[in-house]
Amino acid sequence: MLASLSVPTVATGFLGGRRGDWLHEALLSQGVDSKFVRIANESRMNVKVIDEAGTLTELNSPAPAFTDDEWRAFGDTLRTLCEPNSWLALCGNLPAGCPNHWYQNTISWAKQSDIKTLLDASGVALELGLKACPDVIKPNQHELEQLTGLTLHNLEEVMRAAAQLVDAGVGLVVVSLGEEGLAAVTSSAAIHVRVPSVPVVSSVGAGDTVVAGLLYGIFHRFSLYDTVRFAAAAGTAKVQKPGNMHPSQVDIETCLASTDIVDWRSKS
């Protein structure tokens, strides 16, 4: 998504077998600099099934096992790729065999190296990652409830829960609220981005597209308001696309025209 918006992007992780070869070539064809570590085992395959009613069923395979040498190679690759003042997006579930505190340790290392971090994960990996105080996190409402131990019934409660994480050291908390848009909280701002009502064709990748929108705004030095507004419009444009198809800049600009921001702090 970022590469399609002309943002220089490097992807890394683990790839193996024929599926790994295909993924590598697919990324290169989309303008992404693919710097993955090759492993002996085959990369997994995830299947998304959407029925006529729009219900999504996910069949996710377990991640392949990695050797100690492959993990070391990945660590070396990450240190080589990341430069001071760059952004490192840490996304997805940790594979089997990986310590739950891997995100936490990596964020701590990034801070020491003047590298900014965005964490988009769930469960224990997200909970532990927060202890290292990433610059940005993007939970959905359910993940925010898990983190805080609260049941959130309305926007006000979402804002207060997000503020708790900011008070604990996270720079920016952006909460995906589905058709209700985004909530974004920092130490000095609390805003609600309202998005237009659109037909949902596929929700696959919508959260990742919001992450890309945030990084796009940061890359272009947008204000906080314009950054989260662009991210919300990107996510809204994405759900109107079939499968994992990316929205275009024009698609996002169209949604931007009907995307509004409410300054929640001043309102309350």
Side-chain angles (χ1 to χ4, degrees), residues 10-34:
V10 181
T12 188
F14 298 100
L15 291 180
R18 292 183 179 180
R19 293 176 191 154
D21 293 339
W22 178 84
L23 286 165
H24 174 73
E25 294 300 326
L27 287 169
L28 292 178
S29 70
Q30 295 184 49
V32 179
D33 189 2
S34 175

Side-chain angles (χ1 to χ4, degrees), residues 41-239:
N41 291 321
E42 185 83 21
S43 290
R44 69 175 179 167
M45 177 182 290
N46 293 343
V47 179
K48 319 290 184 183
V49 181
I50 302 175
D51 64 20
E52 293 181 352
T55 302
L56 170 65
T57 301
E58 298 183 298
L59 307 173
N60 295 335
S61 303
F66 310 104
T67 66
D68 290 341
D69 287 343
E70 289 165 346
W71 270 112
R72 281 191 288 269
F74 177 60
D76 293 341
T77 298
L78 201 58
R79 286 188 289 272
T80 300
L81 292 175
C82 294
E83 300 177 355
N85 300 315
S86 63
W87 275 82
L88 173 61
L90 301 161
C91 305
N93 296 325
L94 293 174
C98 178
N100 286 328
H101 54 71
W102 189 86
Y103 281 145
Q104 179 184 2
N105 292 347
T106 302
I107 293 167
S108 295
W109 161 78
K111 283 182 171 293
Q112 296 170 3
S113 305
D114 295 323
I115 298 163
K116 303 293 187 181
T117 54
L118 185 153
L119 178 60
D120 184 20
S122 60
V124 177
L126 173 59
E127 183 179 349
L128 293 176
L130 292 183
K131 294 184 178 181
C133 301
D135 294 282
V136 181
I137 64 170
K138 192 216 65 64
N140 58 34
Q141 182 170 330
H142 175 66
E143 290 163 346
L144 183 61
E145 290 177 333
Q146 289 183 316
L147 283 172
T148 59
L150 302 171
T151 300
L152 307 174
H153 301 95
N154 51 51
L155 183 59
E156 181 176 357
E157 292 180 356
V158 168
M159 291 289 187
R160 290 177 178 172
Q164 289 183 19
L165 302 183
V166 171
D167 291 341
V170 179
L172 166 63
V173 178
V174 178
V175 186
S176 296
L177 301 173
E179 63 183 14
E180 298 299 321
L182 297 178
V185 179
T186 69
S187 60
S188 59
I191 55 182
H192 176 213
V193 186
R194 298 184 298 195
V195 297
S197 178
V198 299
V200 176
V201 177
S202 171
S203 62
V204 175
D208 296 326
T209 304
V210 170
V211 168
L214 292 170
L215 292 170
Y216 178 89
I218 291 167
F219 177 79
H220 287 286
R221 301 182 183 277
F222 288 176
S223 68
L224 171 64
Y225 283 57
D226 288 340
T227 295
V228 294
R229 183 167 172 262
F230 184 90
T236 303
K238 168 65 198 79
V239 299

